[in-house]
């Protein structure tokens, strides 16, 4: 048996919501198809949490085998803020301790999603998704300086979210940043790059840098948990000149290892 019917937007949205994308899909239009034991919905247009979806397909390969799976395969383009909403409303939010609440973004990206949802065993849902960030500005709560021109790939699965070597502008220089969600619900970031002393002074009170100028390499880590944020930054300060009397003056070629730690609980070193 084969039956194909072009659906109206409201009808397709209802099918897609019932097929594992409930509360995520609106303004959908496409084709509804039944072929033998298979049900398939191909979306020519849909909005997933405000993002414009293209080439979306939802199917149940076998409607009558007693272990029905909903398979979702789609692509979307839209605001990164809507992607963060997707994480917040999905089971992935619990895996990250809802740490994405501490992150805001301005800019757009492209989202590819594959979802395998066993209707009778939703806890065993499998997720394989990629989000391509396109020149975004990212802000993390707790006094962390903003990241601008962030570009790169985020990988999402039913076990969490991660990214390797996102490119960004940070503290007046270029940087690469990686992060991953942890089993305790925290999200841990690591990064390295070049920083400008004037930008460091803008965000952090380091008296030694009041008479300093130049650019220096740095590396750091950031841990965002449900009730805490901790930041560690280290730098050899090579490339930085300090115009102070002896013995506090420093030539740019000299190395003065610097280590700074900050916490949203107010303790700092």
């Amino acid at each position: 048996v084969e039956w194909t019917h072009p659906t109206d937007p409201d009808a397709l949205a209802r099918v897609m919501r019932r097929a594992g994308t409930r509360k995520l899909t609106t303004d959908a239009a496409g084709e509804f198809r039944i072929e033998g034991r298979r049900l398939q919905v191909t979306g020519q247009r849909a909005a997933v949490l405000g993002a414009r979806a293209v080439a979306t397909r939802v199917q149940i390969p076998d409607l009558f085998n007693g272990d029905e799976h909903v398979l979702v395969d789609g692509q979307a383009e839209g605001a990164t803020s809507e992607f963060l909403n997707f994480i917040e409303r999905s089971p992935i939010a619990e895996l990250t301790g809802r740490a994405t609440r501490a992150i805001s973004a301005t800019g757009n990206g492209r989202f590819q999603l594959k979802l395998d949802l066993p209707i009778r065993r939703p806890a065993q849902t499998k997720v394989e998704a990629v989000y391509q960030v396109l020149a975004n500005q990212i802000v993390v709560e707790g006094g962390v300086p903003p990241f601008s021109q962030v570009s790169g790939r985020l990988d999402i699965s039913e076990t969490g979210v991660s990214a390797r070597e996102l490119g960004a502008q940070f503290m007046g220089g270029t940087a690469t940043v990686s992060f991953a969600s942890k089993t305790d619900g925290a999200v841990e970031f690591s990064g390295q790059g070049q920083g400008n002393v004037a930008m460091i002074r803008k965000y952090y009170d380091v008296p030694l840098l009041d008479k300093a100028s130049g650019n220096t390499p740095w590396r750091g880590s950031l841990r965002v948990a449900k009730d805490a944020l901790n930041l560690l930054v280290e730098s050899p300060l090579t490339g930085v000149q300090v115009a102070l009397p002896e013995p506090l003056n420093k030539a740019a070629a000299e190395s003065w290892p610097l280590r700074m730690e900050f916490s949203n609980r107010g303790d700092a070193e």
Side-chain angles (χ1 to χ4, degrees):
V1 177
E2 181 175 332
W3 178 63
T4 303
H5 182 68
T7 65
D8 65 87
D10 290 338
L12 181 58
R14 288 195 299 271
V15 171
M16 295 179 75
R17 287 196 295 267
R18 290 171 183 172
T21 55
R22 184 182 181 186
K23 298 183 180 179
L24 300 181
T25 307
T26 59
D27 190 29
E31 184 180 80
F32 181 96
R33 180 186 182 95
I34 296 176
E35 183 177 1
R37 302 166 70 92
R38 175 193 297 268
L39 179 150
Q40 180 170 300
V41 179
T42 302
Q44 299 170 348
R45 183 187 77 246
V48 180
L49 280 176
R52 182 173 61 86
V54 295
T56 302
R57 183 177 65 181
V58 180
Q59 63 174 314
I60 301 177
D62 194 328
L63 291 165
F64 309 107
N65 68 354
D67 186 22
E68 302 85 358
H69 283 239
V70 176
L71 306 180
V72 180
D73 191 345
Q75 303 176 36
E77 299 177 358
T80 301
S81 58
E82 297 294 350
F83 168 72
L84 293 175
N85 286 341
F86 171 82
I87 296 293
E88 182 63 27
R89 299 184 194 184
S90 74
I92 300 171
E94 297 299 330
L95 297 173
T96 62
R98 301 196 176 275
T100 51
R101 290 180 176 177
I103 302 171
S104 60
T106 303
N108 296 320
R110 292 192 294 266
F111 187 37
Q112 294 179 304
L113 171 67
K114 291 186 178 181
L115 181 72
D116 181 351
L117 170 64
I119 293 177
R120 302 170 190 267
R121 296 171 286 109
Q124 297 179 23
T125 297
K126 300 294 183 183
V127 179
E128 181 182 341
V130 172
Y131 189 77
Q132 194 73 30
V133 184
L134 305 174
N136 281 212
Q137 176 162 311
I138 306 293
V139 176
V140 181
E141 294 179 1
V144 180
F147 296 84
S148 63
Q149 296 298 310
V150 179
S151 297
R153 166 177 167 153
L154 280 65
D155 294 290
I156 307 99
S157 73
E158 67 278 3
T159 60
V161 185
S162 64
R164 290 178 58 86
E165 296 188 350
L166 297 172
Q169 292 289 317
F170 181 68
M171 300 292 280
T174 58
T176 58
V177 179
S178 302
F179 72 85
S181 57
K182 300 299 179 180
T183 55
D184 63 356
V187 179
E188 294 185 354
F189 297 78
S190 62
Q192 60 183 4
Q194 287 282 330
N196 178 269
V197 170
M199 291 296 294
I200 296 173
R201 285 201 307 265
K202 180 178 178 180
Y203 288 98
Y204 301 116
D205 182 17
V206 183
L208 178 63
L209 299 182
D210 288 345
K211 299 293 184 179
S213 61
N215 299 290
T216 187
W218 62 268
R219 63 181 181 182
S221 62
L222 172 68
R223 179 179 172 87
V224 181
K226 185 176 181 180
D227 58 353
L229 180 149
N230 295 283
L231 173 67
L232 169 65
V233 180
E234 296 177 295
S235 173
L237 293 184
T238 50
V240 173
Q241 180 177 345
V242 180
L244 288 173
E246 290 281 2
L248 298 178
N249 66 318
K250 176 186 178 301
E254 291 183 275
S255 174
W256 283 13
L258 174 70
R259 176 186 173 98
M260 299 183 294
E261 293 188 52
F262 301 88
S263 170
N264 66 344
R265 290 191 296 262
D267 52 330
E269 296 181 9

